[in-house]
Amino acid sequence: MSFGGFLDNSSGGGLGGATIVADIPFSNNMAAAGAMAQNIYNSPGLSLALQQPSIDNQGDGVRMGENFDASIGRRSREEEHESRSGSDNIDGVSGDDQDAADNRPRKKRYHRHTPQQIQELEALFKECPHPDEKQRLELSKRLCLETRQVKFWFQNRRTQMKTQLERHENSLLRQENDKLRAENMSIREAMRNPICTNCGGPAIIGDLSLEEQHLRIENARLKDELDRVCALASKFLGRPLSSLATSIAPPLPNSNLELGVGSNGFGGLSTTLPLGPDFGGGVSNSLPVVPPNGVERSMFLELALAAMYELVKMAQTDEPLWIRSLEGGREVLNHDEYSRMFTPCIGIKPAGFLTEASRQTGVVIINSLALVETLMDSNRWAEMFPCMIARTSTTDVISSGMGGTRNGAIQLMHAELQLLSPLVPVREVNFLRFCKQHAEGVWAVVDVSIDTLRETSGAPTTYVKCRRLPSGCVVQDMPNGYSKVTWVEHVEYDESQVHHLYRPLLSSGIGFGAQRWVATLQRQCECLAILMSSTVPTGDHTAITASGRRSMLKLAQRMTGNFCAGVCASTVHKWNKLNAGNVDEDVRVMTRKSVDNPGEPPGIVLSAATSVWLPMSPQRLFDFLRDERLRSEWDILSNGGPMQEIAHIAKGQDHGNCVSLLRSSAMNTNQSSMLILQETCMDAGGSLVVYAPVDIPAMQVVMNGGDSAYVALLPSGFSIIPDGTASPGPTTSNGNGDSHRVGGSLLTVAFQILVNSLPTAKLTVESVETVNNLISCTVQKIKAALQCES
């Protein structure tokens, strides 16, 4: 994932707010990460963190809690005075504390701390807001300050934080008060002209109790609303609905995640949602859900509610909806039971489409608020799942949420989902994403395709190759900052363009399934926990500075992202596919021009990729390809000899999750200024080995904390995924006449090479043949080294 602002932030002042990383009990050298659930992290650009305004003038992002209102970040003169109280000290005087022995009048002398002193003070304040006398004495000696100055600085800093929190609480109370006052006024207005439900005429107030007046007014409003929604849903679903309440949101039996029974029949969702900025009204005003041209948006709201109900039901229900498979023990959707329980919310399945469904539950080192915020931000969502999401964007915001939270947020999104193989086309989906809080610490985020809805409303559409049925996750907070995540993936797709090698993998729900999403989420959050730890893991090269580690990780992130874009031919780059007769059938060759991109060499870039099946476990194949000592058996860049690891940055507890810098031990004079940057990662969903040659001078700048954006590289590498239970490989016998399929791996090999340094040059046949021979030779060397040529 992108470690965006985290990697850019060279040092930390300020305070943190929303705790996003658990108190993880890492063994041995990872134990330092355990304190992060209680620590307040100060990086404003961290992908998993909630962005908050700055409190003081030191340039550090300060987050005062997950629900902190950004409006209170605007400074007043009083706040500036308080901000200075943490940085400036009266020499020997603070507040009412004065030296009783010295009663002579004297002028107060102000002492302004240096930036280095403030940085050290802030660092200790994050760990211990109430230092004891020993800690203050040690800090005063180290910073050349008096102990009283250190004591008064911490007093002022605590006072400043308390003041900010009180202001925030007051702001929330004022908002709640204004909301109650508005509701009171609307009720009073409705009571002035009550309507008799029997005759439709004006009701006599004296004949009705106050409670009965309220109930009748509410009942009449709900009836009108239900009739309107049923009419819209009937048009959308193509069948009449007598009552939407029974077909969309029946109560969940024995459920801890009830959809809620709101006063409007919409499952607890208010009928006055704050609309997004595209309506010009801002997020602070409550406007009707349906805008003036809002027939389609009303249907989006209804679709969101139906999809949310289906997702929660599928996440909670076990048998007979989900049946445990005999092969591998994974869960398989019972389609007959599914059809009985749910009405298709996006219409019937198109002819020729296949269905894949999967469910996975896991514990993740992130709290529910941070995960929800990541999922609702398209950029941070793509950064969290870099190998699965090629490109994504938010196309429209129907609702930004209620009460300053993501509860009730509805937005339209576009995404390109990928499986790292040229034999599997990118899945383009247009979908609605709806977020809802079901209870304290319990959230759900659901996706559902909107192409059918747009066809119904008459909007222009294109041919859809993939439809996303209600899919998403239910997140429940656990102690120590962990979360329990239940992920459901349910998709209908056209497999006509999928290579036969990958069809069993996709139909089983493994390729794009819930297991892959959860495994990637767990690995990425663990990586963040490691990187946020102040302790350098064992095996890391301590000679690399903290800023150098961030720069190297940022460079590796860009390298891996470009590798994925080249394998799957996503629209991140403008690729031109070549249909050359001298290229193997299963090898895809593409070209593009690299111009004015400081992160790549200028010229014509050629990408070649292919996928093969190998009869061996993904773990064995991954260990072989990432081992620098065995690299000479397949890599021409190794010059026929082993390679040496000269830098190592851990990204997880597994030693295979890391970023390395390699140097050939058989270097010749022509390659004396070349190193290899390599990133490797592995989880239950698959593994990745990506590398690129880099210049030694450029890497020296990066390792010293310099900007990595100007390091030119073109990545190559491997993607490894398990082939699943339905392996297309050979069968073996156990001697009793019984046979079973051999489990194996699907290996994708991809190269990006600069074939000409002039962007205007034409591609030659010799260049294509060279790259084709390179990729074929590499595959053959791997097979020979692992003795699986058959």
Side-chain angles (χ1 to χ4, degrees):
M1 67 180 293
S2 171
F3 302 105
F6 170 73
L7 299 179
D8 293 334
N9 188 16
S10 59
S11 62
L15 304 173
T19 302
I20 64 169
V21 180
D23 187 5
I24 49 177
F26 281 4
S27 61
N28 300 330
N29 54 0
M30 303 300 178
M36 286 180 296
Q38 290 78 27
N39 284 352
I40 304 175
Y41 187 63
N42 60 3
S43 172
L46 180 63
S47 297
L48 298 182
L50 301 179
Q51 302 291 333
Q52 298 298 348
S54 177
I55 292 180
D56 53 26
N57 57 359
Q58 301 170 24
D60 295 320
V62 179
R63 290 174 282 115
M64 307 301 295
E66 286 88 338
N67 295 326
F68 193 88
D69 189 350
S71 64
I72 70 173
R74 303 184 178 93
R75 280 173 170 257
S76 64
R77 293 180 180 177
E78 182 180 355
E79 287 174 319
E80 292 180 358
H81 172 72
E82 292 173 357
S83 177
R84 290 195 298 270
S85 67
S87 303
D88 303 340
N89 248 334
I90 302 173
D91 191 6
V93 180
S94 176
D96 296 330
D97 294 336
Q98 298 185 4
D99 190 353
D102 188 1
N103 295 323
R104 291 177 299 173
R106 60 179 179 178
K107 185 177 181 179
K108 298 178 180 179
R109 291 183 294 111
Y110 289 85
H111 172 76
R112 181 178 293 275
H113 297 322
T114 66
Q116 292 78 11
Q117 290 172 336
I118 294 174
Q119 184 176 2
E120 290 285 336
L121 290 167
E122 291 283 4
L124 180 59
F125 185 84
K126 287 191 300 178
E127 299 177 0
C128 180
H130 296 269
D132 55 27
E133 184 176 354
K134 181 179 179 181
Q135 291 174 302
R136 292 197 301 268
L137 180 60
E138 180 183 355
L139 188 61
S140 64
K141 290 180 180 180
R142 190 166 70 248
L143 300 181
C144 299
L145 296 173
E146 296 181 7
T147 56
R148 288 190 300 173
Q149 289 178 297
V150 175
K151 174 182 178 182
F152 298 151
W153 188 92
F154 275 90
Q155 289 178 350
N156 295 337
R157 198 68 179 87
R158 291 193 296 268
T159 302
Q160 177 186 348
M161 175 177 283
K162 180 179 179 182
T163 301
Q164 292 290 343
L165 289 174
E166 289 176 348
R167 287 178 180 166
H168 174 53
E169 293 174 355
N170 291 339
S171 176
L172 295 179
L173 291 175
R174 283 196 299 271
Q175 293 178 10
E176 186 67 22
N177 188 36
D178 293 340
K179 180 180 177 182
L180 292 174
R181 186 180 291 110
E183 291 178 355
N184 188 25
M185 292 179 62
S186 62
I187 292 176
R188 288 176 179 271
E189 184 66 25
M191 290 177 60
R192 293 176 183 174
N193 301 301
I195 303 299
C196 178
T197 56
N198 294 327
C199 63
I204 302 176
I205 300 297
D207 296 339
L208 301 175
S209 65
L210 183 62
E211 182 180 1
E212 189 174 1
Q213 293 176 33
H214 285 191
L215 291 175
R216 293 196 175 189
I217 293 172
E218 182 70 8
N219 186 52
R221 185 178 65 82
L222 287 175
K223 185 176 183 300
D224 293 340
E225 197 168 275
L226 183 61
D227 292 341
R228 178 181 64 83
V229 172
C230 284
L232 289 173
S234 298
K235 179 181 178 182
F236 166 54
L237 298 175
R239 62 177 181 82
L241 291 178
S242 59
S243 175
L244 198 64
T246 58
S247 63
I248 289 184
L252 302 180
N254 300 325
S255 171
N256 294 326
L257 300 176
E258 295 183 2
L259 286 176
V261 182
S263 60
N264 52 11
F266 274 165
L269 190 66
S270 171
T271 56
T272 55
L273 294 177
L275 300 181
D278 53 332
F279 290 97
V283 298
S284 59
N285 301 324
S286 289
L287 301 175
V289 169
V290 185
N293 57 349
V295 175
E296 187 181 47
R297 292 184 178 251
S298 297
M299 298 169 73
F300 285 148
L301 173 60
E302 194 55 45
L303 177 62
L305 295 171
M308 179 61 72
Y309 166 72
E310 182 172 319
L311 171 70
V312 174
K313 192 76 171 177
M314 291 186 70
Q316 290 181 320
T317 308
D318 294 325
E319 294 186 358
L321 183 61
W322 294 96
I323 302 174
R324 188 69 63 176
S325 171
L326 297 179
E327 297 182 1
R330 58 185 181 83
E331 292 182 315
V332 178
L333 181 65
N334 184 343
H335 294 282
D336 293 336
E337 183 67 17
Y338 173 81
S339 301
R340 187 188 66 81
M341 292 180 60
F342 305 107
T343 300
C345 60
I346 58 173
I348 61 175
K349 180 172 67 176
F353 273 39
L354 297 182
T355 301
E356 64 179 51
S358 59
R359 184 176 70 168
Q360 183 73 21
T361 300
V363 177
V364 183
I365 315 172
I366 187 174
N367 65 48
S368 61
L369 287 176
L371 180 54
V372 165
E373 194 66 27
T374 298
L375 297 176
M376 299 304 292
D377 186 308
S378 59
N379 292 329
R380 289 160 65 177
W381 180 48
E383 292 165 359
M384 179 67 81
F385 303 95
C387 298
M388 303 183 65
I389 303 173
R391 196 172 188 177
T392 183
S393 62
T394 300
T395 59
D396 198 0
V397 178
I398 297 178
S399 168
S400 58
M402 297 181 292
T405 70
R406 291 291 190 175
N407 184 27
I410 303 177
Q411 57 196 36
L412 306 184
M413 303 180 69
H414 172 81
E416 297 178 16
L417 306 180
Q418 62 188 5
L419 184 65
L420 295 181
S421 171
L423 307 183
V424 180
V426 173
R427 290 183 173 180
E428 291 192 52
V429 287
N430 296 294
F431 58 94
L432 174 149
R433 177 162 288 180
F434 175 38
C435 175
K436 179 173 172 57
Q437 183 178 14
H438 294 274
E440 185 67 26
V442 180
W443 293 76
V445 179
V446 64
D447 298 343
V448 61
S449 287
I450 57 175
D451 302 283
T452 306
L453 190 65
R454 285 179 168 172
E455 291 175 1
T456 305
S457 62
T461 59
T462 58
Y463 175 71
V464 178
K465 299 178 181 179
C466 175
R467 303 199 319 164
R468 195 163 172 81
L469 278 68
S471 305
C473 60
V474 176
V475 187
Q476 184 172 4
D477 276 334
M478 296 177 65
N480 300 327
Y482 285 76
S483 293
K484 178 184 177 182
V485 178
T486 301
W487 203 291
V488 175
E489 281 295 310
H490 197 187
V491 177
E492 296 172 344
Y493 67 99
D494 180 8
E495 75 162 359
S496 60
Q497 296 184 5
V498 179
H499 193 276
H500 66 86
L501 199 61
Y502 282 82
R503 288 184 181 181
L505 184 74
L506 267 59
S507 62
S508 64
I510 298 177
F512 290 92
Q515 180 190 26
R516 190 169 169 228
W517 289 96
V518 173
T520 302
L521 180 63
Q522 290 174 323
R523 174 171 54 82
Q524 293 287 78
C525 291
E526 180 188 3
C527 176
L528 266 183
I530 297 293
L531 298 180
M532 290 169 61
S533 171
S534 59
T535 301
V536 178
T538 302
D540 278 19
H541 288 252
T542 56
I544 306 177
T545 64
S547 58
R549 288 163 56 89
R550 285 190 290 268
S551 295
M552 277 191 64
L553 290 171
K554 191 173 183 181
L555 179 61
Q557 171 206 340
R558 174 162 65 88
M559 175 182 68
T560 302
N562 288 340
F563 171 78
C564 297
V567 172
C568 297
S570 67
T571 58
V572 175
H573 299 297
K574 295 182 179 179
W575 293 102
N576 297 315
K577 186 176 180 181
L578 296 180
N579 295 316
N582 55 347
V583 177
D584 295 342
E585 179 183 358
D586 293 337
V587 177
R588 182 171 63 191
V589 180
M590 304 178 297
T591 63
R592 62 181 174 88
K593 295 181 179 180
S594 175
V595 183
D596 298 330
N597 186 352
E600 290 182 344
I604 302 296
V605 177
L606 189 146
S607 172
T610 188
S611 295
V612 296
W613 180 85
L614 297 178
M616 68 182 58
S617 68
Q619 181 69 55
R620 182 188 173 195
L621 187 56
F622 175 69
D623 290 339
F624 169 75
L625 293 174
R626 73 179 180 89
D627 192 340
E628 66 274 8
R629 297 166 298 180
L630 304 176
R631 198 178 185 96
S632 60
E633 299 189 28
W634 59 266
D635 187 9
I636 62 173
L637 296 177
S638 64
N639 300 319
M643 304 197 76
Q644 177 185 2
E645 184 181 64
I646 62 175
H648 180 97
I649 300 177
K651 295 182 63 179
Q653 288 181 288
D654 192 303
H655 186 69
N657 292 330
C658 66
V659 172
S660 306
L661 199 59
L662 308 178
R663 179 177 59 194
S664 174
S665 57
M667 295 172 62
N668 57 40
T669 56
N670 295 329
Q671 293 183 325
S672 59
S673 62
M674 190 65 65
L675 298 174
I676 292 181
L677 177 68
Q678 176 174 282
E679 178 173 14
T680 59
C681 58
M682 183 174 190
D683 54 43
S687 55
L688 205 62
V689 178
V690 183
Y691 62 92
V694 291
D695 292 329
I696 289 180
M699 285 308 301
Q700 287 177 340
V701 174
V702 172
M703 294 173 69
N704 290 327
D707 189 358
S708 64
Y710 297 96
V711 178
L713 53 78
L714 289 174
S716 301
F718 309 93
S719 171
I720 309 166
I721 58 174
D723 62 358
T725 56
S727 171
T731 60
T732 60
S733 175
N734 59 8
N736 298 324
D738 299 330
S739 62
H740 64 278
R741 292 198 179 274
V742 177
S745 304
L746 292 170
L747 172 67
T748 296
V749 185
F751 292 95
Q752 290 188 38
I753 299 176
L754 186 72
V755 294
N756 199 306
S757 58
L758 295 176
T760 57
K762 292 185 178 180
L763 188 66
T764 63
V765 177
E766 291 77 11
S767 299
V768 177
E769 290 180 348
T770 300
V771 176
N772 182 60
N773 293 336
L774 172 63
I775 200 169
S776 299
C777 181
T778 302
V779 172
Q780 292 302 321
K781 286 185 175 182
I782 293 174
K783 289 182 177 180
L786 296 173
Q787 300 178 354
C788 57
E789 296 175 288
S790 59

